[in-house]
Amino acid sequence: MNSSPQKFEDLSATGDVDGGSLTVEQAIANLESEDLGLRFYAAWWLGRFRIGEPAAVTGLIKALEDEADRTPEGGYPLRRNAARALGKLGDRQAVSPLIACLDCSDFYVREAAAQSLEMLGDPVCIPALIKLLAVGLQAEQLVSQQPDLSQPYEAILEALGTLRATEFIPLVKPFLEHPIELVQYAAARAMYQLTEEPAYGERLVKALAGERLQLRRAVLADLGAIGYLPAADAIAQTLAENSLKLISLKGLLEHQVNYVTPSTLSEGAIKVINLMDSLL
């Protein structure tokens, strides 16, 4: 099973996508096209360029039930793109349809739905996410058959952390021992958000020294998402692209700025700014 889509997808975009190749009206109309390729691209385009017009939202929600675009393995490519786009548009009309997508037979539709529900931030989706998480548990322990790849646990755990589902900490914590590193990191990220205990942030900092670049990249995103300030030096020194380290540090800085008055900067914020300057 492949890992989830790159966490830095939009933040690291270089602007080389030709947004002028399509108009808003064309993209919305193409969601109804008989050409499946046009429909697939339109859903991606509307999300990529954050086209939040009511007709776009309505068209994308309708695409979540598409039956025409199927892969030989039974996947739903258009549904996946539509689910991802709806999270980026920020319209909470999409919450209930995305919750329904958590029952889709396509693993990647469920993953995209969980990621978008995290972005939309409505806690009404928590019970549905917990239902999926519980598939991997027996009596609050990981199922015996491992690795369990039946559900997008990484996306589910990240969403539960962002949504502050503190009442479900006992169901999140077992995934710290999941055999897949990305799932472990997602669990550590969520546990930090749910408990604010430094041990979980330090677990992610330690992972920055891992051998695999793909995993270091993922941890950079996790640390930026939780704003774990003690990780600042380790982030700056990580063997990874400076662009990704800057994005991670930007996450730390945003968390620091949220805790001070607009006219002042904390020592932590100043430190992060200096580290970012050193990477430019």
Side-chain angles (χ1 to χ4, degrees), residues 137-156:
L137 297 171
Q138 293 174 335
E140 298 188 3
Q141 299 294 325
L142 293 181
V143 294
S144 57
Q145 186 175 356
Q146 292 293 344
D148 172 28
L149 303 174
S150 63
Q151 299 297 336
Y153 294 118
E154 183 185 353
I156 295 166

Side-chain angles (χ1 to χ4, degrees), residues 58-202:
T58 299
L60 289 167
I61 289 175
K62 182 178 179 181
L64 294 177
E65 299 180 348
D66 173 74
E67 291 288 349
D69 194 6
R70 298 289 302 273
T71 68
E73 298 78 21
Y76 292 93
L78 176 58
R79 292 191 193 187
R80 299 173 196 170
N81 268 6
R84 294 184 185 117
L86 285 165
K88 297 171 184 176
L89 301 189
D91 192 320
R92 290 199 175 188
Q93 290 183 74
V95 170
S96 292
L98 286 168
I99 290 174
C101 285
L102 295 176
D103 290 325
C104 182
S105 60
D106 185 339
F107 175 98
Y108 296 104
V109 172
R110 300 197 301 276
E111 179 181 62
Q115 291 167 335
S116 286
L117 287 166
E118 176 188 5
M119 293 183 213
L120 293 174
D122 192 330
V124 72
C125 69
I126 289 175
L129 292 169
I130 289 296
K131 180 181 176 182
L132 286 190
L133 190 70
V135 172
L137 297 171
Q138 293 174 335
E140 298 188 3
Q141 299 294 325
L142 293 181
V143 294
S144 57
Q145 186 175 356
Q146 292 293 344
D148 172 28
L149 303 174
S150 63
Q151 299 297 336
Y153 294 118
E154 183 185 353
I156 295 166
L157 290 162
E158 291 176 359
L160 291 171
T162 298
L163 293 166
R164 299 296 194 269
T166 53
E167 64 269 39
F168 295 106
I169 288 173
L171 302 183
V172 171
K173 192 171 183 179
F175 286 88
L176 292 166
E177 306 305 323
H178 195 279
I180 303 299
E181 288 98 332
L182 288 173
V183 177
Q184 294 176 25
Y185 302 157
R189 164 177 166 166
M191 286 297 294
Y192 180 81
Q193 291 173 308
L194 298 176
T195 68
E196 297 188 357
E197 293 181 12
Y200 300 113
E202 289 303 316

